[in-house]
C-alpha cells in the first residue's frame, strides 16, 4: 500500500530475509498515484528493525505499450517529461536513483544523458528495442538491464537481437529474477556465463505475496493471484505479475539453476548491486565500514537466514 506505514511493514519483512538495504520500486501509474507513492516512501524514517532505503527505483511510465509492457497498466504508459521527473526528486529529497525506461520510445534516447548527468542510473526494461537502439542507449549512458528476459520482445531473430544485444553489451549490467519461473534454469546459466559474474545482479521483483502464502494481493489497482508461489494476473494467467521471491531464495536458486558457486551468488546479491550504485564501501568487511551482516546456513543447496545485523545491531 502506498502509505509510509505500508512501506515500513515491507522493510521489516525484507530485513527478516537478510536484505539490509532495498530499493523500493514504483511502477507505472497515474502521475498523482506515482507521486503519492514516492512521497510515502520518502516519509519513512530509518529504524534498525527494518531494511534501510538505498534509493527509489521508478519502473515506468516511459515503457513499451506493446509486448514489453508486462502487467503495467497501458492507460498510464506515457513519455516522461523533465518536469514530472523533477517532481519525483523534489518529493523524495533526491532519492530517485534508478529509472527503467524503453529506449525506443520517442524522446527516451535524448532523456538518458540528462538523467545520467543528474546522478540517476538509467535502466533498459519493458522494452521492444532493436539492437541498434540498445547500443545507442548504452552509448548515451544506460547502465542496467532490468529483469532481463522478462517484459521484453519475445521473438528472437537469428541475428543478435534485443536480449542477446543486452547480454553482449559489455558496459551493461543485468538484473535477473532467479526464481525458476521468470527465467528457465538453462537460460539463467547461459546468461550468467554471457554477462559475467561482475555484471550480473540478483533482484527479487517481489510484490506483496513474497514470503507469504498463496492468495490474492494488490499490485496498485491490479489484483494479483498467487498460486503455488507464482504471482500472475488473474485476467491473463500467462502473464507473470512480479514475484514472491525473497533474496535468500534468489541466492539459493542462482547457485542451483545458474550452476555457479555460493560465493558468486552472494556477490550478485551484494557487491555487484552496491557497485552499480557507487556504494561499494557498504559491502566491505573492514573496520569503519557499515556492519550489515547476514549469518546463514547453506546445506544441500538449502539456504536459511539465522541472524541479520543492521548497522551493528
Amino acid at each position: 500500500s502506498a502509505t509510509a506505514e505500508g512501506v515500513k511493514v515491507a522493510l521489516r519483512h525484507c530485513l527478516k530475509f537478510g536484505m539490509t538495504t532495498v530499493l523500493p520500486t514504483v511502477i507505472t501509474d497515474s502521475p498523482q498515484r506515482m507521486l503519492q507513492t514516492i512521497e510515502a516512501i520518502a516519509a519513512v524514517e530509518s529504524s534498525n528493525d527494518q531494511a534501510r532505503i538505498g534509493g527509489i527505483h521508478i519502473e515506468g511510465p516511459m515503457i513499451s505499450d506493446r509486448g514489453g509492457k508486462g502487467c503495467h497498466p497501458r492507460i498510464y504508459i506515457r513519455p516522461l517529461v523533465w518536469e514530472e521527473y523533477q517532481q519525483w526528486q523534489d518529493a523524495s529529497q533526491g532519492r530517485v536513483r534508478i529509472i527503467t525506461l524503453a529506449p525506443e520510445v520517442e524522446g527516451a534516447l535524448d532523456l538518458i544523458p540528462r538523467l545520467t548527468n543528474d546522478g540517476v542510473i538509467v535502466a533498459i526494461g519493458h522494452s521492444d528495442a532493436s539492437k541498434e537502439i540498445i547500443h545507442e542507449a548504452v552509448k548515451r549512458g544506460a547502465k542496467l538491464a532490468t529483469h532481463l528476459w522478462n517484459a521484453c520482445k519475445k521473438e528472437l531473430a537469428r541475428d543478435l537481437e534485443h536480449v542477446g544485444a543486452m547480454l553482449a553489451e559489455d558496459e551493461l549490467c543485468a538484473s535477473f529474477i532467479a526464481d525458476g519461473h521468470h527465467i528457465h534454469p538453462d537460460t539463467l546459466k547461459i546468461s550468467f556465463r554471457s554477462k559475467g559474474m561482475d555484471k550480473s545482479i540478483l533482484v527479487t521483483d517481489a510484490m506483496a505475496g513474497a514470503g507469504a502464502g498463496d492468495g490474492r494481493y494488490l499490485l496498485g489497482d491490479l489484483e494479483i493471484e498467487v498460486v503455488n508461489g507464482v504471482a500472475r494476473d488473474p485476467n491473463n494467467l500467462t502473464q507473470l505479475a512480479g514475484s514472491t521471491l525473497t533474496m535468500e531464495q534468489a541466492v539459493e536458486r542462482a547457485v542451483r539453476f545458474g550452476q555457479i558457486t555460493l560465493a558468486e551468488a552472494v556477490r550478485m546479491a551484494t557487491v555487484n548491486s552496491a557497485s552499480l550504485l557507487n556504494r561499494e564501501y557498504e559491502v566491505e568487511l573492514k573496520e569503519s565500514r557499515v556492519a550489515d551482516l547476514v549469518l546463514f546456513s547453506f546445506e544441500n543447496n538449502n539456504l536459511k537466514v539465522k541472524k541479520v545485523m543492521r548497522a551493528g545491531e
Side-chain angles (χ1 to χ4, degrees):
S1 59
T3 65
E5 185 54 41
V7 176
K8 287 180 183 178
V9 170
L11 294 176
R12 286 196 291 268
H13 200 56
C14 287
L15 193 66
K16 291 180 184 178
F17 292 97
M19 292 175 278
T20 56
T21 303
V22 300
L23 272 73
T25 295
V26 180
I27 66 167
T28 303
D29 208 326
S30 70
Q32 296 78 15
R33 280 279 292 272
M34 291 184 74
L35 193 61
Q36 288 170 2
T37 305
I38 291 167
E39 289 171 341
I41 295 169
V44 173
E45 295 182 1
S46 182
S47 172
N48 273 359
D49 68 345
Q50 64 194 33
R52 71 171 58 81
I53 295 173
I56 300 173
H57 171 208
I58 311 291
E59 194 174 312
M62 198 178 202
I63 59 173
S64 171
D65 63 356
R66 298 194 294 274
K69 83 172 191 65
C71 67
H72 288 231
R74 180 176 276 107
I75 188 174
Y76 294 127
I77 294 173
R78 61 189 182 276
L80 174 58
V81 295
W82 191 254
E83 290 72 23
E84 184 174 11
Y85 162 72
Q86 288 180 314
Q87 284 183 326
W88 295 347
Q89 291 292 26
D90 290 343
S92 67
Q93 293 91 51
R95 295 181 190 174
V96 174
R97 293 300 315 278
I98 302 177
I99 294 179
T100 293
L101 52 75
E104 73 274 18
V105 176
E106 185 176 355
L109 288 176
D110 291 333
L111 189 61
I112 291 172
R114 292 190 71 185
L115 292 171
T116 300
N117 290 336
D118 206 44
V120 171
I121 295 166
V122 174
I124 300 171
H126 289 275
S127 166
D128 288 324
S130 66
K131 62 180 179 181
E132 291 81 12
I133 291 178
I134 289 168
H135 181 72
E136 185 61 28
V138 174
K139 186 178 175 181
R140 296 191 185 203
K143 290 282 191 291
L144 176 69
T146 294
H147 47 52
L148 196 58
W149 291 100
N150 300 118
C152 62
K153 183 182 289 185
K154 297 297 187 288
E155 301 81 15
L156 297 181
R158 289 179 181 272
D159 61 348
L160 196 64
E161 184 67 15
H162 201 66
V163 172
M166 286 190 271
L167 287 172
E169 287 286 346
D170 293 336
E171 297 302 313
L172 199 66
C173 294
S175 62
F176 300 96
I177 308 169
D179 61 354
H181 305 291
H182 281 77
I183 312 172
H184 189 278
D186 292 341
T187 304
L188 186 67
K189 180 169 67 172
I190 293 168
S191 298
F192 285 166
R193 292 180 180 181
S194 299
K195 186 48 67 178
M197 295 299 107
D198 293 339
K199 293 288 186 179
S200 298
I201 294 172
L202 296 179
V203 293
T204 63
D205 205 46
M207 41 71 76
D214 286 0
R216 294 216 164 191
Y217 301 87
L218 286 177
L219 183 60
D221 289 330
L222 184 63
E223 190 175 50
I224 303 300
E225 188 164 10
V226 176
V227 179
N228 296 325
V230 183
R232 300 184 187 275
D233 180 349
N235 301 312
N236 178 9
L237 291 178
T238 65
Q239 177 63 62
L240 296 171
S243 85
T244 63
L245 189 67
T246 62
M247 191 55 78
E248 63 174 355
Q249 293 172 332
V251 171
E252 172 188 293
R253 295 176 192 184
V255 173
R256 182 153 42 102
F257 297 150
Q259 297 294 293
I260 60 175
T261 67
L262 176 61
E264 288 170 334
V266 169
R267 180 181 180 86
M268 291 179 186
T270 56
V271 175
N272 293 356
S273 48
S275 297
L276 176 70
L277 294 161
N278 293 318
R279 295 166 70 158
E280 296 93 336
Y281 59 89
E282 291 189 7
V283 293
E284 289 180 334
L285 291 173
K286 62 191 324 187
E287 188 177 356
S288 82
R289 295 308 191 218
V290 179
D292 283 357
L293 302 169
V294 179
L295 176 67
F296 62 87
S297 65
F298 187 73
E299 297 177 288
N300 300 319
N301 277 336
N302 186 25
L303 191 153
K304 291 294 181 185
V305 171
K306 301 293 187 180
K307 291 183 180 180
V308 181
M309 180 181 286
R310 180 198 183 280
E313 294 191 4

